[in-house]
Coordinates of all heavy atoms in Angstrom, one line a residue:
I130 N -9.7 -7.1 13.5 CA -11.2 -7.1 13.8 C -11.7 -8.4 14.0 O -11.6 -9.2 13.0 CB -12.1 -6.3 12.9 CG1 -11.4 -4.9 12.5 CG2 -13.4 -6.2 13.4 CD1 -12.2 -4.1 11.5
T131 N -12.2 -8.9 15.0 CA -12.9 -10.3 15.2 C -14.1 -10.0 16.1 O -14.4 -9.0 16.5 CB -11.7 -11.1 15.7 OG1 -12.3 -12.5 15.5 CG2 -11.4 -10.9 17.1
T132 N -14.7 -11.3 16.2 CA -15.8 -11.2 17.1 C -15.5 -11.2 18.5 O -14.4 -11.7 18.8 CB -16.8 -12.3 16.8 OG1 -16.3 -13.5 16.8 CG2 -17.4 -12.2 15.3
K133 N -16.4 -10.8 19.4 CA -16.1 -10.9 20.8 C -15.7 -12.2 21.3 O -14.7 -12.4 22.0 CB -17.4 -10.4 21.6 CG -17.5 -8.9 21.5 CD -18.5 -8.4 22.6 CE -18.7 -6.9 22.6 NZ -18.4 -6.1 21.5
E134 N -16.4 -13.2 20.9 CA -16.2 -14.7 21.5 C -15.0 -15.2 20.8 O -14.2 -16.0 21.6 CB -17.4 -15.5 21.4 CG -18.0 -15.8 20.1 CD -19.0 -14.6 19.6 OE1 -19.1 -13.6 20.3 OE2 -19.7 -14.8 18.6
Y135 N -14.5 -14.7 19.5 CA -13.4 -15.4 19.1 C -12.1 -14.7 19.5 O -11.0 -15.4 19.3 CB -13.4 -15.3 17.5 CG -12.8 -16.4 16.8 CD1 -13.2 -17.7 17.0 CD2 -11.8 -16.2 15.9 CE1 -12.5 -18.7 16.3 CE2 -11.2 -17.1 15.2 CZ -11.5 -18.5 15.4 OH -10.9 -19.5 14.8
A136 N -12.2 -13.6 20.0 CA -11.0 -12.8 20.4 C -10.0 -13.5 21.2 O -8.8 -13.6 21.0 CB -11.2 -11.4 21.0
F137 N -10.6 -14.1 22.2 CA -9.8 -14.9 23.2 C -9.0 -16.1 22.6 O -7.8 -16.2 22.9 CB -10.5 -15.3 24.5 CG -10.9 -14.1 25.2 CD1 -12.2 -13.6 25.3 CD2 -10.0 -13.4 26.1 CE1 -12.5 -12.4 25.8 CE2 -10.3 -12.3 26.8 CZ -11.7 -11.8 26.7
K138 N -9.7 -16.8 21.6 CA -9.1 -17.8 21.0 C -7.9 -17.4 20.1 O -6.7 -18.0 20.1 CB -10.0 -18.7 20.1 CG -11.1 -19.5 20.9 CD -11.8 -20.3 19.9 CE -13.0 -20.9 20.6 NZ -14.1 -21.4 19.8
L139 N -8.2 -16.3 19.5 CA -7.1 -15.7 18.6 C -5.9 -15.2 19.4 O -4.8 -15.4 19.0 CB -7.7 -14.4 17.9 CG -6.7 -13.7 16.9 CD1 -6.2 -14.7 15.9 CD2 -7.5 -12.5 16.3
I140 N -6.3 -14.7 20.5 CA -5.1 -14.1 21.4 C -4.2 -15.4 21.9 O -3.0 -15.3 21.8 CB -5.6 -13.3 22.6 CG1 -6.2 -12.0 22.1 CG2 -4.5 -13.1 23.7 CD1 -7.0 -11.3 23.1
D141 N -4.8 -16.4 22.3 CA -4.1 -17.7 22.7 C -3.3 -18.1 21.5 O -2.1 -18.5 21.7 CB -5.1 -18.8 23.1 CG -5.7 -18.6 24.5 OD1 -5.2 -17.6 25.2 OD2 -6.7 -19.2 24.8
A142 N -4.0 -18.1 20.5 CA -3.1 -18.7 19.2 C -1.9 -17.8 18.8 O -0.7 -18.2 18.7 CB -4.1 -18.9 18.0
L143 N -2.1 -16.4 18.9 CA -1.0 -15.5 18.7 C 0.0 -15.7 19.7 O 1.3 -15.7 19.4 CB -1.6 -14.1 18.7 CG -2.4 -13.7 17.4 CD1 -3.1 -12.3 17.7 CD2 -1.6 -13.7 16.1
S144 N -0.4 -15.9 20.9 CA 0.6 -16.1 22.0 C 1.4 -17.1 22.0 O 2.7 -17.1 22.0 CB -0.2 -16.0 23.3 OG 0.6 -16.1 24.5
S145 N 0.8 -18.4 21.6 CA 1.7 -19.5 21.6 C 2.5 -19.5 20.2 O 3.7 -20.0 20.4 CB 0.8 -20.9 21.7 OG -0.1 -21.0 20.5
E146 N 2.1 -19.1 19.1 CA 2.9 -18.9 17.9 C 4.0 -18.1 18.1 O 5.1 -18.2 17.6 CB 2.1 -18.7 16.8 CG 1.1 -19.8 16.4 CD 1.8 -21.2 16.2 OE1 3.0 -21.3 15.7 OE2 1.1 -22.2 16.7
L147 N 3.8 -16.8 18.8 CA 4.8 -15.8 19.1 C 5.9 -16.4 19.8 O 7.1 -16.4 19.6 CB 4.2 -14.6 19.8 CG 3.6 -13.6 18.9 CD1 2.8 -12.6 19.8 CD2 4.6 -12.8 18.0
E148 N 5.6 -17.3 20.9 CA 6.5 -18.0 21.7 C 7.3 -19.0 20.9 O 8.6 -19.0 21.0 CB 5.9 -18.6 22.8 CG 6.9 -19.0 23.9 CD 6.2 -19.7 25.2 OE1 5.3 -19.1 25.5 OE2 6.8 -20.6 25.6
N149 N 6.7 -19.7 20.0 CA 7.4 -20.7 19.0 C 8.4 -19.8 18.2 O 9.4 -20.4 18.0 CB 6.3 -21.3 18.2 CG 5.7 -22.4 18.7 OD1 6.0 -22.9 19.9 ND2 4.5 -22.9 18.2
F150 N 8.0 -18.8 17.7 CA 8.9 -18.0 16.7 C 10.1 -17.2 17.6 O 11.2 -17.2 17.1 CB 8.2 -16.9 15.9 CG 7.1 -17.7 15.0 CD1 6.1 -16.8 14.4 CD2 7.2 -19.0 14.6 CE1 5.3 -17.3 13.5 CE2 6.4 -19.4 13.8 CZ 5.4 -18.7 13.2
Y151 N 9.6 -16.6 18.6 CA 10.6 -15.6 19.2 C 11.0 -15.9 20.6 O 11.7 -15.1 21.3 CB 10.0 -14.2 19.2 CG 9.6 -13.8 17.8 CD1 8.2 -13.5 17.5 CD2 10.5 -13.7 16.8 CE1 7.8 -13.2 16.3 CE2 10.1 -13.3 15.5 CZ 8.9 -13.0 15.2 OH 8.6 -12.7 13.9
G152 N 10.5 -17.2 21.1 CA 11.0 -17.6 22.4 C 10.2 -17.0 23.6 O 9.3 -16.1 23.3
K153 N 10.6 -17.4 24.8 CA 9.8 -16.9 26.0 C 10.0 -15.3 26.3 O 9.2 -14.6 26.6 CB 10.2 -17.6 27.2 CG 9.4 -18.9 27.3 CD 9.3 -19.3 28.8 CE 8.7 -20.7 29.1 NZ 7.7 -21.2 28.1
D154 N 11.3 -15.0 25.8 CA 11.6 -13.6 26.1 C 11.9 -13.0 24.7 O 13.0 -12.9 24.2 CB 12.9 -13.3 26.9 CG 13.1 -11.8 27.1 OD1 12.4 -11.0 26.6 OD2 14.2 -11.5 27.7
P155 N 10.9 -12.3 24.0 CA 11.1 -11.8 22.5 C 12.2 -10.7 22.6 O 12.7 -10.5 21.4 CB 9.7 -11.3 22.3 CG 9.0 -11.2 23.4 CD 9.4 -12.2 24.5
M156 N 12.5 -10.1 23.7 CA 13.4 -9.0 23.7 C 14.7 -9.5 23.4 O 15.7 -8.8 23.0 CB 13.4 -8.3 25.0 CG 12.1 -7.6 25.3 SD 11.7 -6.2 24.2 CE 12.4 -4.9 24.9
Q157 N 15.0 -10.8 23.6 CA 16.3 -11.4 23.3 C 16.4 -12.1 21.9 O 17.4 -12.5 21.5 CB 16.6 -12.6 24.3 CG 16.6 -12.1 25.8 CD 17.5 -11.0 26.1 OE1 18.6 -10.9 25.5 NE2 17.0 -10.1 27.0
S158 N 15.3 -12.0 21.2 CA 15.2 -12.8 19.9 C 16.2 -12.0 18.8 O 16.0 -10.7 18.7 CB 13.8 -12.9 19.4 OG 13.8 -13.2 18.1
K159 N 16.8 -12.7 18.0 CA 17.7 -12.1 17.0 C 16.8 -12.0 15.8 O 17.1 -11.5 14.7 CB 18.8 -12.9 16.7 CG 19.8 -13.0 17.9 CD 21.1 -13.5 17.4 CE 22.3 -13.1 18.5 NZ 21.9 -12.9 19.8
D160 N 15.5 -12.5 15.8 CA 14.6 -12.5 14.6 C 13.6 -11.3 14.6 O 12.8 -11.2 13.7 CB 13.9 -13.7 14.4 CG 14.7 -14.9 14.0 OD1 15.6 -14.8 13.3 OD2 14.7 -16.0 14.7
L161 N 13.8 -10.5 15.5 CA 12.9 -9.3 15.6 C 13.7 -8.0 15.3 O 14.8 -7.9 15.9 CB 12.3 -9.2 16.9 CG 10.9 -10.1 17.1 CD1 10.7 -10.0 18.5 CD2 9.8 -9.6 16.2
S162 N 13.2 -7.1 14.4 CA 14.0 -5.9 14.2 C 13.9 -4.8 15.4 O 12.9 -4.8 16.1 CB 13.4 -5.1 12.9 OG 13.3 -6.0 12.0
R163 N 14.8 -3.9 15.4 CA 14.6 -2.8 16.4 C 13.8 -1.7 15.8 O 13.4 -1.9 14.6 CB 16.1 -2.2 16.7 CG 17.1 -3.0 17.4 CD 18.3 -2.4 17.1 NE 19.4 -3.7 17.4 CZ 19.9 -3.8 18.5 NH1 19.8 -2.9 19.6 NH2 20.8 -4.8 18.6
I164 N 13.4 -0.8 16.5 CA 12.7 0.4 15.9 C 13.8 1.2 15.4 O 14.8 1.4 15.9 CB 11.9 1.1 17.1 CG1 11.0 0.2 17.9 CG2 11.2 2.3 16.6 CD1 10.0 -0.5 17.0
I165 N 13.4 1.8 14.2 CA 14.5 2.4 13.4 C 15.3 3.6 14.0 O 16.4 3.5 13.8 CB 13.8 2.7 12.0 CG1 15.0 3.0 11.0 CG2 13.0 4.0 12.1 CD1 14.8 2.7 9.5
N166 N 14.6 4.3 14.8 CA 15.4 5.4 15.6 C 14.6 5.8 16.7 O 13.4 5.4 17.0 CB 15.7 6.5 14.5 CG 14.5 7.2 13.9 OD1 13.3 7.2 14.6 ND2 14.6 7.7 12.9
S167 N 15.3 6.8 17.5 CA 14.6 7.1 18.7 C 13.3 8.0 18.5 O 12.5 7.8 19.3 CB 15.6 7.7 19.8 OG 16.1 8.8 19.2
R168 N 13.3 8.7 17.4 CA 12.1 9.4 17.2 C 11.0 8.5 17.0 O 9.9 8.7 17.6 CB 12.3 10.3 15.9 CG 11.1 11.2 15.6 CD 11.4 12.1 14.5 NE 11.7 11.6 13.2 CZ 10.6 11.4 12.4 NH1 9.3 11.5 12.7 NH2 10.9 10.8 11.1
H169 N 11.2 7.4 16.2 CA 10.1 6.5 16.0 C 9.7 5.6 17.4 O 8.6 5.2 17.6 CB 10.3 5.6 14.9 CG 10.0 6.4 13.5 ND1 8.7 6.5 13.1 CD2 10.9 7.0 12.7 CE1 8.9 7.3 12.0 NE2 9.9 7.6 11.7
F170 N 10.9 5.2 18.0 CA 10.6 4.7 19.4 C 9.7 5.5 20.3 O 8.7 5.0 20.8 CB 11.9 4.4 20.1 CG 11.8 3.7 21.4 CD1 11.9 2.2 21.3 CD2 11.7 4.3 22.5 CE1 11.8 1.5 22.5 CE2 11.6 3.7 23.8 CZ 11.7 2.3 23.8
H171 N 9.9 6.7 20.3 CA 9.0 7.6 21.1 C 7.6 7.8 20.6 O 6.6 7.7 21.3 CB 9.5 9.0 21.2 CG 10.8 9.1 22.2 ND1 10.7 8.8 23.5 CD2 12.2 9.3 21.9 CE1 11.9 8.7 24.2 NE2 12.7 9.1 23.2
R172 N 7.5 7.7 19.3 CA 6.3 7.8 18.5 C 5.4 6.5 18.9 O 4.1 6.7 19.3 CB 6.4 7.9 17.1 CG 5.1 8.1 16.3 CD 5.3 8.1 14.7 NE 6.0 6.8 14.4 CZ 5.4 5.7 14.2 NH1 4.1 5.5 14.5 NH2 6.0 4.7 13.7
V173 N 6.0 5.4 18.8 CA 5.3 4.1 19.1 C 4.9 4.0 20.6 O 3.8 3.5 21.0 CB 6.2 2.9 18.5 CG1 5.5 1.5 18.9 CG2 6.3 2.9 17.0
T174 N 5.9 4.3 21.5 CA 5.6 4.1 22.8 C 4.5 5.1 23.4 O 3.9 4.9 24.4 CB 7.0 4.2 23.6 OG1 7.6 5.5 23.3 CG2 7.8 3.2 23.6
K175 N 4.5 6.4 22.7 CA 3.5 7.2 23.0 C 2.0 6.6 22.7 O 1.1 6.7 23.6 CB 3.5 8.5 22.2 CG 2.8 9.7 22.7 CD 3.1 11.0 21.8 CE 1.9 11.7 21.7 NZ 1.8 12.5 20.5
L176 N 1.9 5.9 21.7 CA 0.7 5.1 21.4 C 0.3 4.1 22.4 O -0.8 4.0 22.9 CB 0.8 4.4 20.0 CG 1.1 5.1 18.7 CD1 1.1 4.3 17.6 CD2 -0.1 6.3 18.5
L177 N 1.5 3.5 22.8 CA 1.3 2.5 24.0 C 1.0 3.1 25.3 O 0.2 2.5 26.1 CB 2.5 1.6 24.0 CG 2.6 0.3 24.8 CD1 1.5 -0.6 24.4 CD2 3.9 -0.4 24.6
D178 N 1.4 4.3 25.6 CA 1.3 4.8 26.9 C -0.1 5.7 26.8 O -0.4 6.3 28.0 CB 2.4 5.8 27.2 CG 3.7 5.0 27.4 OD1 3.6 3.8 27.7 OD2 4.8 5.5 27.3
D179 N -0.8 5.7 25.9 CA -2.2 6.5 25.9 C -2.9 5.8 27.0 O -3.2 4.6 27.0 CB -2.8 6.3 24.5 CG -4.0 6.7 24.4 OD1 -4.6 7.6 25.3 OD2 -4.8 6.5 23.4
K180 N -3.5 6.7 27.9 CA -4.3 6.3 29.1 C -5.5 5.5 28.7 O -6.1 4.6 29.4 CB -4.7 7.4 29.8 CG -3.7 8.1 30.7 CD -4.1 9.0 31.8 CE -3.1 9.3 32.8 NZ -1.9 10.0 32.0
K181 N -6.0 5.8 27.4 CA -7.2 5.1 26.9 C -7.1 3.6 26.8 O -8.0 3.0 26.7 CB -7.8 5.7 25.6 CG -8.1 7.2 25.8 CD -9.1 7.5 24.8 CE -9.9 8.9 25.3 NZ -9.4 10.1 24.6
I182 N -5.8 3.2 26.6 CA -5.6 1.6 26.5 C -4.8 1.1 27.7 O -4.4 -0.1 27.6 CB -4.9 1.3 25.2 CG1 -3.6 1.9 25.1 CG2 -5.7 1.7 24.0 CD1 -2.6 1.2 24.2
S183 N -4.8 1.8 28.8 CA -4.2 1.2 29.9 C -4.9 0.0 30.5 O -6.1 0.0 30.6 CB -3.9 2.3 31.1 OG -5.1 2.5 31.7
G184 N -4.2 -1.0 30.9 CA -4.7 -2.3 31.3 C -5.2 -3.2 30.2 O -5.8 -4.2 30.6
K185 N -5.0 -2.8 29.0 CA -5.7 -3.6 27.9 C -4.5 -4.4 27.0 O -4.9 -5.1 26.1 CB -6.4 -2.6 26.9 CG -7.7 -2.0 27.5 CD -8.2 -1.1 26.5 CE -9.6 -0.5 27.1 NZ -10.6 -1.4 27.4
V186 N -3.3 -4.4 27.5 CA -2.3 -5.1 26.9 C -2.4 -6.5 27.3 O -2.5 -6.9 28.5 CB -0.8 -4.5 27.2 CG1 0.2 -5.3 26.7 CG2 -0.8 -3.2 26.7
V187 N -2.6 -7.4 26.3 CA -2.8 -8.9 26.6 C -1.5 -9.7 26.2 O -1.4 -10.8 26.6 CB -4.1 -9.4 25.9 CG1 -5.3 -8.8 26.6 CG2 -4.1 -9.2 24.5

Side-chain angles (χ1 to χ4, degrees):
I130 309 175
T131 191
T132 56
K133 285 192 170 30
E134 53 284 7
Y135 209 61
F137 291 100
K138 289 188 187 163
L139 177 62
I140 290 164
D141 282 348
L143 287 172
S144 174
S145 69
E146 294 306 322
L147 278 168
E148 194 177 319
N149 284 342
F150 293 164
Y151 304 118
K153 279 208 178 337
D154 181 6
M156 299 296 273
Q157 306 303 323
S158 170
K159 293 202 171 7
D160 291 313
L161 279 170
S162 312
R163 291 159 204 266
I164 306 301
I165 192 141
N166 59 24
S167 56
R168 181 167 72 84
H169 284 280
F170 183 89
H171 287 297
R172 183 185 59 75
V173 175
T174 50
K175 195 174 142 211
L176 300 177
L177 190 54
D178 292 338
D179 179 9
K180 284 200 175 51
K181 296 209 163 105
I182 60 164
S183 77
K185 293 179 183 290
V186 171
V187 288

